[in-house]
Amino acid sequence: MKEKEISQKLQKIGIPIITWGMIALVWFAYTQWITSNSVMIPSPQHVWHSFIELLQNGYGGTAFIVHLRSSFVRLFLSITLAIVVGIPLGYLSGYNHLIKGMVDSLVQFYKPIPPLAYYPLLIIWMGISDSSKIALLFLAAFAPIYIACVSSVGKVRKDYILSAKSLGASNKDIFLKIIWPATLPEVFTGIRTAFGFAYSTLVAAEMTAATSGMGWMVMDASRYLKSDIMFIGIIIMGISGLVIDYLLLYCENTLVFWKGK
Amino acid sequence: MTDKKQGFLVKMGLLTFFLFGMITSAYHYLGELDYQQGKQGSSYPKVVNIGYLRVPNDEMMAIEQGTIEKNLSKFGIKVNFMVFDSGVEANKALASGSIDFASMGVTNGVVALSKGLDVELIWLHELLGTNEALVTRKQEDLKDLHQLSGKTIATTFASTSHYSLKKVLEANNLTDKVTVLDMTTLDIAAAWQRGDIDGAYTWDPVLSELVASDGNIMISSADLVDDGVVTANVMLGRKNFTHQYPQVTAMILSTISDSHDFFKDNPDKAASLVAKTLEISKEDALFQMKGTIWLSAQEQVSKDYLGTSDTSGDFVRIISEISRFLSDSHSISSVPNEQAIKEFINSDYIIKSMEGEKSNE
């Protein structure tokens, strides 16, 4: 039994590592022996070298750390805002049909629209500064959080609430002892989805009239065919996205340990 | 570790992260606090936001030379430069008041005018010359414009090139005989390589690229100038800003005008200056700069171009023709009347900048 568990764990970690190792090897070999066109595929050494240079000299007149910080701040503020607004509104909608009727249709209306489609409008209204970008990411993150709250409140088993009531539980008790723990797992999943949405919208938000941020860096590099910078930007965005998602998952598993039980 | 202890640690971790995020955000925006405009009525703003195009012109030189920043810093004004791909984006930024000045092709300026944006035309960067042209394939060996009949030609719609192409076709009675396709410059380059199009009316750097791969220039915007078909890159100012700070506006124009003179005197140095930013060779930069017509401040206020508030210049006619063209191609819904166009063109700041120059001497 134990051996099986270990081998399963090895498989879980080992196979991705081998896959990535293979990709790196093919990448290296391809650029080393087959073609060395730095526009199509820059070699790993070339990318590494550009990365060191990027750390030292920044990109587009801005230090690399400032690019990272700009993106981080936009993402952080928008998701914080989405959580602060989305969760209360979601629970209220779950409870109250009037509020649900008002908010839900709005959310359902804009949810399927690609953010890039309404971003130009946000720019006209709010300008090219960070407020329009944060508003865009907020809208992207808000929908999944809100929807998760509404649907999870609706899924709480009625007999739990009725039994608690018959035993004399107050509304506050019902919320804290039944609804909150029952809905938290789904809300957490909503937050993770929201993060994914906001993260993928970040590049779109930084594409227009920005002068900093990881997304802008990749877009600007593409305009001048600087493939090495594009590689670096994409790799960093991929890794940081993975890390953040993993951390969120870890928090979820620890804080909502009753999930699925 | 017990679940409870672990949960506590994670909660503390989340709290720390939240505080970290808040502090970072505060720190990040602290530096931008002085972005806000100066108090109403004060004679100098705290900051000027300028949107520019990545083309080798007088404005890019002034930016590269750092003269705008230097001259305005004497009055404690901070300058932010933002690059825009085209006037389309710059217009959005102008509309929201994010930028005070923007450079763009004159067609996009007309779009701003017809949409009622609160802006005015204050400077002509350059008249477009051989840097915008109609290219066809060498092997087809077209000598006369009439031979274009039945061909497919690509251009970017609502651009200065589109306007010029339309004028060429009109002058040769080809309007219904040529298929005109709407493409971005990058798509034009790709379609040309694949052989999907017979020709294109486009601008540098794609224009040079097409010429290099078996292209033949049939007519350029420089040839059209003689027929009164004038296209230009212009600078727009947001009226809220220019009316409140006319001296600052004049100061910026006079700085740009200095760079203009610098180019006239040292074209080589000027070319190497912009070549670095545009990441092209010095020869290409010089070639592109020489392909456009740079007008001095004095020439701009003459009646051939912008004119003055008393005697309106030829640009009233040019802009009204472009408006009609844009309206015909459904890019704008209403053609501005002559009065609106005269108000849109404001050469007062150029005159003011020239007066300033004289008093400095």
Side-chain angles (χ1 to χ4, degrees), chain B residues 25-325:
Chain B
S25 307
Y27 176 75
H28 185 73
Y29 290 115
L30 261 180
E32 292 183 23
L33 275 184
D34 54 346
Y35 264 61
Q36 279 142 18
Q37 299 272 318
K39 282 190 209 106
Q40 285 284 322
S42 82
S43 51
Y44 296 115
K46 276 192 177 161
V47 70
V48 180
N49 297 304
I50 301 178
Y52 66 102
L53 293 170
R54 270 189 189 272
V55 291
N57 64 12
D58 45 3
E59 187 178 32
M60 173 159 283
M61 280 179 54
I63 293 169
E64 283 310 302
Q65 290 174 304
T67 45
I68 297 181
E69 276 163 308
K70 206 177 92 197
N71 289 348
L72 292 187
S73 70
K74 287 178 201 154
F75 301 92
I77 305 168
K78 191 175 169 239
V79 192
N80 296 313
F81 295 108
M82 270 162 250
V83 65
F84 287 93
D85 269 347
S86 74
V88 179
E89 290 176 335
N91 272 339
K92 282 184 213 151
L94 274 176
S96 66
S98 302
I99 53 174
D100 306 307
F101 298 99
S103 300
M104 56 183 75
V106 63
T107 44
N108 281 307
V110 173
V111 171
L113 166 67
S114 80
K115 293 283 175 221
L117 295 191
D118 208 17
V119 291
E120 52 193 2
L121 195 167
I122 57 169
W123 181 258
L124 295 176
H125 285 303
E126 74 263 61
L127 300 188
L128 303 176
T130 53
N131 63 327
E132 284 200 18
L134 175 61
V135 191
T136 51
R137 292 182 191 280
K138 243 180 208 156
Q139 62 264 33
E140 296 211 25
D141 198 27
L142 304 179
K143 292 209 173 58
D144 190 76
L145 285 169
H146 290 285
Q147 290 174 285
L148 285 175
S149 182
K151 304 283 181 204
T152 306
I153 297 174
T155 190
T156 309
F157 273 24
S159 70
T160 45
S161 280
H162 186 202
Y163 172 66
S164 301
L165 174 63
K166 188 137 186 210
K167 284 287 171 188
V168 169
L169 297 182
E170 256 172 36
N172 293 284
N173 291 324
L174 286 167
T175 307
D176 298 324
K177 295 171 194 152
V178 172
T179 315
V180 180
L181 296 178
D182 181 15
M183 293 184 184
T184 65
T185 54
L186 284 176
D187 289 341
I188 289 176
W192 178 267
Q193 301 296 351
R194 281 198 307 270
D196 294 343
I197 50 175
D198 302 313
Y201 206 123
T202 189
W203 56 85
D204 272 321
V206 167
L207 175 64
S208 306
E209 207 176 295
L210 301 193
V211 172
S213 55
D214 288 331
N216 174 39
I217 290 183
M218 294 197 75
I219 192 166
S220 79
S221 296
D223 305 319
L224 299 177
V225 171
D226 302 331
D227 303 329
V229 179
V230 178
T231 48
N233 278 334
V234 301
M235 186 166 178
L236 301 190
R238 206 159 51 85
K239 277 186 193 161
N240 271 345
F241 184 94
T242 53
H243 287 188
Q244 197 180 347
Y245 309 111
Q247 318 91 303
V248 178
T249 309
M251 219 172 343
I252 292 171
L253 293 188
S254 116
T255 311
I256 292 177
S257 173
D258 288 345
S259 295
H260 175 115
D261 296 340
F262 181 83
F263 169 67
K264 288 269 145 109
D265 299 338
N266 320 286
D268 269 353
K269 265 192 202 159
S272 52
L273 210 60
V274 296
K276 220 177 68 200
T277 328
L278 294 171
E279 297 183 21
I280 54 179
S281 74
K282 194 184 118 190
E283 289 70 32
D284 285 350
L286 192 62
F287 179 76
Q288 289 181 23
M289 286 161 105
K290 289 229 161 128
T292 56
I293 302 147
W294 296 36
L295 300 170
S296 68
Q298 195 67 53
E299 287 170 294
Q300 292 196 20
V301 295
S302 76
K303 70 174 185 349
D304 285 342
Y305 301 103
L306 297 182
T308 61
S309 46
D310 301 326
T311 52
S312 57
D314 202 28
F315 254 74
V316 174
R317 176 191 64 82
I318 292 164
I319 286 187
S320 115
E321 272 186 28
I322 293 174
S323 319
R324 230 168 299 131
F325 152 74

Side-chain angles (χ1 to χ4, degrees), chain A residues 66 69-70 72-74 76-77 80 120 123-130 134 208-209 211 220 223-224 226 250-251 254-255 257, chain B residues 3 6-7 10-11 14 17-18 20-22 24-25 27-29 54 81-85 89 92-93 95-96 98-99 278-279:
Chain A
V66 177
R69 200 177 69 203
S70 315
F72 168 78
V73 164
R74 284 166 194 152
F76 172 78
L77 286 180
T80 308
I123 293 180
I124 293 174
W125 292 337
M126 310 178 70
I128 54 173
S129 62
D130 267 10
I134 291 171
T208 312
T211 47
D220 192 71
R223 230 172 271 153
Y224 305 105
K226 292 180 195 160
Y250 178 77
C251 291
T254 337
L255 292 179
F257 49 85
Chain B
D3 270 358
Q6 214 177 354
V10 169
K11 275 180 194 162
L14 280 177
F17 173 77
F18 178 73
F20 167 77
M22 277 303 177
T24 315
S25 307
Y27 176 75
H28 185 73
Y29 290 115
R54 270 189 189 272
F81 295 108
M82 270 162 250
V83 65
F84 287 93
D85 269 347
E89 290 176 335
K92 282 184 213 151
S96 66
S98 302
I99 53 174
L278 294 171
E279 297 183 21

